[in-house]
Amino acid sequence: MDRKTMNDNITYFFDTNIIIIYLYERSTEQGKKLIELINKLRFKKVNTLSTNLVEIDTIINDGFTIFSHIIIENVMKNWDTKNTRERIALLEGIENKFSDFYENIRTKYYKGNILPSGVREKIAKNFFRNIKDKILVSSEDELKRRYTSREYYNDLKDYMSSINLFIKNNFNIVNLDVLFTNSIIFETQLIEEGIRKYINSSGHKRLSRFDQIIFKELYILLSLNKYEKIYFITNDSDFNRLYSSIIKYLGDFKNKKADPRENFKEYAIKSYDILSNRLEISNLSNAYNIFK
């Protein structure tokens, strides 16, 4: 996208992984560029879906859960018997090999429920680093009260409330609250079929439910003409591959390959035109170049 396309007709949506950078990696080079990018956009153009907020809450909850379980299992036991030097050594050992501790707790208690490493591990480690000095001077009873009682849930609730407030103060939250017409139902059915075709294609990893929902919500917003054009910024390469796969699938309706009776050709052509002309997907690096 060049400068000529950077106009009032384009609305920018930011994916979950980009907002995570905005929250937790603000001091990095990537984070600083992201902050600069957002500051150059008017507030009404800096959007994210309410679905992204739900996904962020889930990711933070997962990270906090693993972090607290590391404290319970690897720190709390016989904590009062350790002197300051021993406590420091234990905490530094956990921080230095945090990936090992994260994966051990995850596979032992949460396998199948919490994903390995990635952003959840980064958030869990961030919790640990921020609270490490407080843990050092806490008693075993204080740790038990904080991480095995209602205080744990209160801490998490307060933290997530503050994060949600911060996001809402910096991003316009878009809710999908619409009455579906037959046309929209038929169009989203074709999008759903395209998504399933992508997932079933050899060599593609399983696409998360959140990614599937977000893609369909972006499409619906365009189909209902809520926005003229959406520029979706994400570091998830799956979105570009998904986009290309769905475009190809919809194109098959033109030559009767996907729909010999042409019952859905009209809807497929409309969906194809919307996605190919009005939805652009970019990673963060390319998005920076818009404003150079």
Side-chain angles (χ1 to χ4, degrees):
M1 179 178 293
D2 57 27
R3 286 180 180 272
K4 289 186 291 184
T5 60
M6 190 187 68
N7 55 46
D8 288 339
N9 296 328
I10 300 174
T11 303
Y12 300 84
F13 276 77
F14 291 79
D15 196 13
T16 299
N17 51 71
I18 305 298
I19 297 175
I20 291 292
I21 294 171
Y22 192 73
L23 292 173
Y24 295 105
E25 300 177 30
R26 295 173 67 83
S27 61
T28 66
E29 186 65 25
Q30 186 173 220
K32 290 176 182 177
K33 287 184 177 179
L34 175 58
I35 292 169
E36 182 181 356
L37 171 64
I38 289 173
N39 288 341
K40 286 179 178 178
L41 293 168
R42 292 193 294 275
F43 177 75
K44 69 174 184 177
K45 286 181 168 287
V46 181
N47 297 275
T48 193
L49 294 165
S50 57
T51 302
N52 291 109
L53 286 189
V54 175
E55 186 176 20
I56 290 167
D57 284 349
T58 302
I59 290 170
I60 292 173
N61 182 76
D62 289 349
F64 195 90
T65 297
I66 297 288
F67 151 73
S68 61
H69 212 132
I70 289 173
I71 302 304
I72 294 169
E73 183 141 321
N74 301 108
V75 174
M76 196 179 297
K77 188 177 180 181
N78 300 321
W79 186 244
D80 285 345
T81 66
K82 294 178 172 61
N83 60 39
T84 301
R85 180 177 296 179
E86 290 171 331
R87 289 185 176 190
I88 291 173
L90 176 60
L91 295 174
E92 288 182 348
I94 292 173
E95 183 174 3
N96 292 336
K97 294 187 176 181
F98 195 85
S99 291
D100 295 338
F101 284 93
Y102 175 95
E103 193 57 20
N104 178 60
I105 293 295
R106 189 194 71 83
T107 55
K108 189 174 181 180
Y109 299 104
Y110 305 102
K111 193 173 184 179
N113 294 319
I114 294 179
L115 295 173
S117 63
V119 66
R120 289 164 174 80
E121 181 190 321
K122 289 180 181 179
I123 290 174
K125 190 170 185 178
N126 185 70
F127 282 128
F128 183 82
R129 283 175 169 166
N130 288 343
I131 204 77
K132 185 176 63 173
D133 290 343
K134 191 171 183 178
I135 292 172
L136 179 64
V137 297
S138 296
S139 67
E140 195 170 317
D141 283 341
E142 287 172 333
L143 294 178
K144 284 180 181 178
R145 283 198 303 273
R146 180 161 294 277
Y147 296 107
T148 63
S149 69
R150 180 166 289 277
E151 284 191 40
Y152 160 85
Y153 298 102
N154 290 337
D155 284 350
L156 180 57
K157 183 179 177 181
D158 291 344
Y159 178 77
M160 292 177 78
S161 293
S162 67
I163 288 293
N164 272 272
L165 181 61
F166 181 76
I167 295 172
K168 289 173 181 177
N169 284 338
N170 290 277
F171 294 83
N172 180 39
I173 311 301
V174 177
N175 294 287
L176 197 67
D177 184 16
V178 297
L179 181 64
F180 284 84
T181 64
N182 281 341
S183 177
I184 290 291
I185 291 171
F186 291 156
E187 292 163 31
T188 52
Q189 171 63 27
L190 298 180
I191 300 296
E192 179 67 34
E193 290 173 12
I195 290 173
R196 286 203 301 268
K197 189 178 177 95
Y198 169 79
I199 294 172
N200 293 331
S201 298
S202 60
H204 293 314
K205 69 177 184 179
R206 182 177 178 272
L207 195 68
S208 78
R209 289 189 182 97
F210 281 114
D211 287 347
Q212 296 177 53
I213 292 168
I214 288 165
F215 192 95
K216 285 184 282 189
E217 288 184 337
L218 292 173
Y219 174 81
I220 291 168
L221 288 170
L222 289 169
S223 182
L224 294 173
N225 294 314
K226 299 292 185 181
Y227 302 96
E228 185 169 335
K229 184 167 185 175
I230 287 176
Y231 192 83
F232 184 62
I233 301 172
T234 178
N235 278 351
D236 187 347
S237 57
D238 256 354
F239 270 98
N240 260 319
R241 291 195 292 266
L242 173 63
Y243 174 86
S244 298
S245 180
I246 292 174
I247 287 288
K248 183 177 182 302
Y249 177 70
L250 294 172
D252 287 342
F253 283 77
K254 294 181 178 180
N255 55 22
K256 298 185 180 182
K257 185 177 179 181
D259 182 26
R261 296 184 177 180
E262 299 188 337
N263 292 331
F264 286 83
K265 183 177 180 180
E266 174 188 349
Y267 304 107
I269 291 174
K270 179 184 176 185
S271 300
Y272 181 94
D273 289 343
I274 287 173
L275 289 177
S276 58
N277 296 318
R278 297 171 58 196
L279 177 63
E280 187 162 351
I281 297 173
S282 169
N283 62 32
L284 192 53
S285 296
N286 287 337
Y288 295 149
N289 294 330
I290 303 171
F291 299 94
K292 282 185 176 179

